Amino acid sequence: MNNVTKMKIGKPVSEVFQAFVDPVKIGNFWFTSSSERWEQGKTITLTYDEYDARGDIRIMEIKENQKIVFQWGADGEGHEVTITLAESGISESIVEVTEEGFNENEQDWIRQFVDNKEGWVYMLTCLKGYLEYGVQLRASLIK
């Protein structure tokens, strides 16, 4: 079972791509920090200072300005996330996030699925605010 979330961002795909892979830029819309530039084969440590959280992702595939695939979760048992970028007119991009690995046999899978969707919509909204308007919305979601 997978979860798909899409949003239009009023910037070229090259700018959107750099926002994800550049450890300085990612702190403006998603995590507080990224240990290093995202490149295929690397394990990246992401931190969320506001939530006292830290986790690793494994970058499985990167196609510049097109796609980022990573896995997060425990020891290869986690979910796989694919972020695809597509041009949409002049200086516009469609960002699509697909997360796979939900187990519909787990008791609370519906809650996990809904929470996941909420998280991706929020992250993409923060990305849009940062790239289009220069504002930081990250770390303001309260659960």
Side-chain angles (χ1 to χ4, degrees):
M1 168 133 310
N2 61 29
N3 202 351
V4 179
T5 307
K6 293 182 187 183
M7 188 170 287
K8 184 184 288 188
I9 306 291
K11 291 292 177 178
V13 293
S14 59
E15 286 185 47
V16 177
F17 179 81
Q18 289 304 315
F20 282 102
V21 301
D22 185 327
V24 173
K25 293 180 180 179
I26 202 166
N28 291 301
F29 72 96
W30 196 1
F31 295 93
T32 305
S33 66
S34 174
S35 61
E36 59 186 297
R37 185 170 180 82
W38 293 24
E39 294 176 2
Q40 190 165 317
K42 286 187 176 182
T43 296
I44 307 295
T45 300
L46 302 169
T47 59
Y48 248 135
D49 290 347
E50 299 83 358
Y51 307 116
D52 195 28
R54 168 177 283 219
D56 291 336
I57 62 170
R58 185 169 51 89
I59 308 296
M60 300 168 64
E61 179 182 0
I62 287 203
K63 290 185 180 174
E64 189 167 348
N65 301 331
Q66 296 176 32
K67 179 166 55 167
I68 301 167
V69 181
F70 66 88
Q71 186 174 49
W72 54 13
D75 302 323
E77 298 296 322
H79 292 189
E80 184 173 298
V81 176
T82 301
I83 300 169
T84 55
L85 309 172
E87 291 184 23
S88 174
I90 298 172
S91 295
E92 288 186 338
S93 304
I94 301 293
V95 181
E96 177 177 306
V97 179
T98 304
E99 184 160 346
E100 301 178 49
F102 294 93
N103 183 349
E104 58 191 71
N105 295 321
E106 289 185 24
Q107 185 174 2
D108 68 341
W109 79 271
I110 293 175
R111 182 196 55 78
Q112 290 177 24
F113 197 78
V114 170
D115 283 354
N116 182 264
K117 181 69 158 188
E118 179 183 71
W120 288 121
V121 169
Y122 178 67
M123 181 277 289
L124 289 172
T125 300
C126 292
L127 174 65
K128 185 175 187 69
Y130 165 60
L131 289 178
E132 291 184 13
Y133 303 103
V135 297
Q136 273 198 27
L137 302 172
R138 63 169 295 283
S140 57
L141 182 66
I142 305 296
K143 290 203 74 108

